[in-house]
Amino acid sequence: MSRQLRAVLRLWRRQQRAAWLEAGKPLPEPLFASVTGTALDEANVRKALNRILDAAGLHRRGPHQMRHTFASLLLADGAPVTYVSRQLGHKDAAITLRVYAQWLPDNSKEKLSRLSGVVTLTFSSWNQIAGWVRRLDGLRGAA
């Protein structure tokens, strides 16, 4: 969890504590509680999310789809699979790879270009070394 998110959630919790205290009720255990202090109902969350998406002129999507979007955007941006896996709460990165492998950036051309550079540099170095060896052999033969 980022420091920013942690700070926002702590602020949210403090605000909620103050609001519930003002209402004369104890702070509910769920971080995001209903007006009665219980855990949020999935159907109500979906309805509220749809109202927000409609107002913003965006396509409707459920919380699980938002999770997929989050993971896909992170991976497409080059975030390490292990990081995304931890963010999603997966048991291991293999699960994340199985579901999201198609969103990993394809850097094969870039990697091939780098490899070509290494091969060229290595070949050039070998040519230099071979030249030095020939010169050494020439010096030994002259001596």
Side-chain angles (χ1 to χ4, degrees):
M1 180 184 319
S2 71
R3 282 188 222 146
Q4 287 175 310
L5 179 56
R6 188 174 291 119
V8 167
L9 291 176
R10 283 184 179 148
L11 177 61
W12 169 258
R13 198 65 171 158
R14 279 196 301 268
Q15 291 170 341
Q16 289 299 300
R17 184 176 291 117
W20 284 94
L21 186 62
E22 188 177 308
K25 297 179 180 177
L27 179 67
E29 190 172 325
L31 180 61
F32 298 104
S34 70
V35 293
T36 61
T38 59
L40 295 173
D41 177 67
E42 185 180 338
N44 289 337
V45 171
R46 189 176 303 279
K47 288 176 193 173
L49 179 59
N50 284 338
R51 282 194 300 270
I52 293 167
L53 292 172
D54 290 346
L58 299 171
H59 294 287
R60 288 184 173 193
R61 51 184 25 94
H64 200 74
Q65 288 171 304
M66 301 282 275
R67 172 185 167 91
H68 285 310
T69 301
F70 172 72
S72 302
L73 289 173
L74 281 174
L75 290 168
D77 195 42
V81 175
T82 51
Y83 171 77
V84 176
S85 182
R86 283 192 311 270
Q87 294 300 303
L88 296 174
H90 287 167
K91 180 180 169 188
D92 57 45
I95 296 167
T96 310
L97 278 172
R98 210 170 30 252
V99 176
Y100 297 101
Q102 75 266 20
W103 296 107
L104 291 171
D106 182 9
N107 298 344
S108 54
K109 288 180 185 173
E110 180 186 323
K111 288 178 182 169
L112 188 58
S113 174
R114 276 194 229 148
L115 181 60
S116 294
V118 169
V119 169
T120 302
L121 181 62
T122 303
F123 184 72
S124 172
S125 297
W126 277 111
N127 280 340
Q128 276 186 326
I129 292 170
W132 294 335
V133 169
R134 282 193 297 272
R135 274 188 242 143
L136 283 174
D137 283 344
L139 289 175
R140 280 189 204 141

